[in-house]
Amino acid sequence: MQTQQTDRLPLTDCRFCSLVSQANGEDPIGTAGTCDHWIIMEVPQPWPENIFEEHPRIKPLLGLFQELVVKHGVKLRPMLIAPDREYSHAGFTRLFYYYRSTEMFSQFEKQEFVVPEEETTALVTAILKQLMQQPNDLSKFQQYQQQTNHIRELMVCTHAQVDLACGRFGTPMYRRLRKEYAPASNGKLRVWQTTHFGGHQFAPTLVDLPQGCLWGHLVPEVLDLLILRNGSVSDLRQFYRGWAGLTKFEQIAEREIWMQLGWTWLDYLKAGEVLAKEEVHEEDRANWADVRIHFAAIDGSISGTYEARVEVNGEVMSTLNSAKEMELEAVKQYCVSRLVKVD
């Protein structure tokens, strides 16, 4: 298993942002980011810091990405994964496309393609044009589609060139998951190294797909619970960054509901809305917000709504980057001060 090397600051001279964050008790909840679409493509390591701007197969796509996100307002998260000795095929590129299919949902829909390397850019172009409702030739790639909806994909950030913490802490976490949990899954779990997807101060951090939950500050002792779901959800509380199907304040409220209802909550269809919040220049820095979370069982047998008040309950000092000399900044910490089931 190839892992990243970096010629940046020697590890002995580095203070890791994730250690500072963890030592100061920074809560990762609400940092998952919100997205409706994920495009995840195999690209061999090493990954320079600016790989999206430099790679010959990705660079031609930047204009379309920008148009989609800026002009059309689509919440899209691009990521790269490292080819795997067992999973990957020489001369071919694997591409995952996950998407939100309805307003209320419990997990992202998955399409997986394994295409000849020279067709990769054309495939991504077709997906992006489809998202913009423009003419596209996506249908011609159906021959490369894989039937892997039964497989859970864990994406662990090991992108040391963006931040050393992800290499230092993400890499051993990836290796453990890849060596111990993937082989024991009977083909139902794969584990990948990925480029940065935000939040290196929470390294080791991972995305669990198709669920779309993000995790941070992970330690080996909770992996059984995270992967096998064989115990109390409360033991995962401090590691949960949130569900990408919701916005920041909705994520904070959603964790409290999950803590009350347990594992069955993850299977419910969900949607959130912010009813009101403090008006500030940067919306995600508001001191309070009132949110509503709708839920329903897939078969329609159960449905309901929760309302919550999320508000600041303090600050901790943290830093966004690993370095020899760090700039610490105050980060607001939030709690759910009121949670009621209204129907």
Side-chain angles (χ1 to χ4, degrees), residues 199-228:
H200 29 243
Q201 71 270 36
F202 304 117
T205 184
L206 68 78
V207 182
D208 188 347
L209 289 165
Q211 198 90 59
C213 293
L214 273 72
W215 303 89
H217 287 161
L218 284 171
V219 293
E221 292 76 19
V222 299
L223 293 183
D224 265 12
L225 182 57
L226 178 65
I227 306 303
L228 305 177

Side-chain angles (χ1 to χ4, degrees), residues 17-19 22 157 163-170 199-206 215-218 241:
C17 57
S18 61
L19 290 183
Q22 201 164 6
C157 180
D163 193 280
L164 284 165
C166 295
R168 172 65 180 84
F169 302 110
H200 29 243
Q201 71 270 36
F202 304 117
T205 184
L206 68 78
W215 303 89
H217 287 161
L218 284 171
R241 293 182 59 189

Side-chain angles (χ1 to χ4, degrees), residues 75 116 232 303:
K75 296 184 177 78
S232 171
S303 65

Side-chain angles (χ1 to χ4, degrees), residues 16-36:
F16 295 106
C17 57
S18 61
L19 290 183
V20 173
S21 169
Q22 201 164 6
N24 290 352
E26 183 178 5
D27 189 347
I29 190 61
T31 67
T34 310
C35 66
D36 296 326

Side-chain angles (χ1 to χ4, degrees), residues 4-265:
Q4 295 245 74
Q5 300 295 320
T6 178
D7 56 3
R8 294 175 63 188
L9 205 62
L11 296 182
T12 52
D13 292 341
C14 182
R15 292 182 68 199
F16 295 106
C17 57
S18 61
L19 290 183
V20 173
S21 169
Q22 201 164 6
N24 290 352
E26 183 178 5
D27 189 347
I29 190 61
T31 67
T34 310
C35 66
D36 296 326
H37 305 269
W38 313 67
I39 292 182
I40 305 170
M41 182 171 74
E42 275 185 325
V43 171
Q45 295 169 317
W47 298 320
E49 184 175 357
N50 298 318
I51 187 166
F52 285 94
E53 291 82 15
E54 297 174 3
H55 196 279
R57 273 188 271 148
I58 303 171
K59 194 173 179 180
L61 300 166
L62 291 181
L64 279 175
F65 272 121
Q66 195 167 24
E67 182 180 355
L68 194 65
V69 174
V70 177
K71 184 178 176 181
H72 295 271
V74 174
K75 296 184 177 78
L76 170 69
R77 178 171 288 169
M79 288 165 50
L80 307 179
I81 54 174
D84 181 277
R85 193 176 302 168
E86 178 185 344
Y87 307 149
S88 304
H89 308 279
F92 288 80
T93 298
R94 172 176 280 100
L95 185 134
F96 294 112
Y97 171 45
Y98 288 93
Y99 59 95
R100 173 185 187 143
S101 57
T102 56
E103 182 184 358
M104 289 188 67
F105 72 116
S106 62
Q107 62 182 35
F108 292 86
E109 299 293 326
K110 176 187 187 183
Q111 291 182 357
E112 179 181 345
F113 302 86
V114 177
V115 298
E117 287 178 356
E118 63 274 12
E119 295 286 339
T120 307
T121 303
L123 171 57
V124 178
T125 299
I127 293 172
L128 297 179
K129 286 190 172 182
Q130 182 191 54
L131 283 176
M132 289 186 281
Q133 299 181 330
Q134 294 180 2
N136 63 80
D137 57 359
L138 188 56
S139 59
K140 84 172 194 178
F141 294 97
Q142 285 182 350
Q143 60 182 311
Y144 301 114
Q145 197 162 343
Q146 310 295 302
Q147 300 306 314
T148 59
N149 286 343
H150 63 290
I151 300 180
R152 182 181 179 188
E153 315 284 357
L154 295 186
M155 312 280 178
V156 184
C157 180
T158 62
H159 200 176
Q161 274 83 348
V162 170
D163 193 280
L164 284 165
C166 295
R168 172 65 180 84
F169 302 110
T171 300
M173 183 61 64
Y174 156 75
R175 287 175 173 161
R176 183 162 189 157
L177 288 165
R178 179 66 184 84
K179 182 178 179 181
E180 296 180 19
Y181 290 87
S185 71
N186 296 317
K188 294 179 180 177
L189 174 71
R190 291 185 292 202
V191 182
W192 304 89
Q193 299 182 76
T194 77
T195 52
H196 181 57
F197 47 80
H200 29 243
Q201 71 270 36
F202 304 117
T205 184
L206 68 78
V207 182
D208 188 347
L209 289 165
Q211 198 90 59
C213 293
L214 273 72
W215 303 89
H217 287 161
L218 284 171
V219 293
E221 292 76 19
V222 299
L223 293 183
D224 265 12
L225 182 57
L226 178 65
I227 306 303
L228 305 177
R229 301 178 177 177
N230 58 358
S232 171
V233 297
S234 62
D235 291 335
L236 288 173
R237 179 189 178 89
Q238 71 192 80
F239 308 101
Y240 190 40
R241 293 182 59 189
W243 182 53
L246 299 171
T247 60
K248 174 179 175 173
F249 295 109
E250 295 162 3
Q251 289 173 10
I252 297 169
E254 189 259 353
R255 180 176 68 175
E256 296 306 313
I257 305 169
W258 181 41
M259 291 297 108
Q260 289 187 12
L261 298 189
W263 290 110
T264 54
W265 172 253

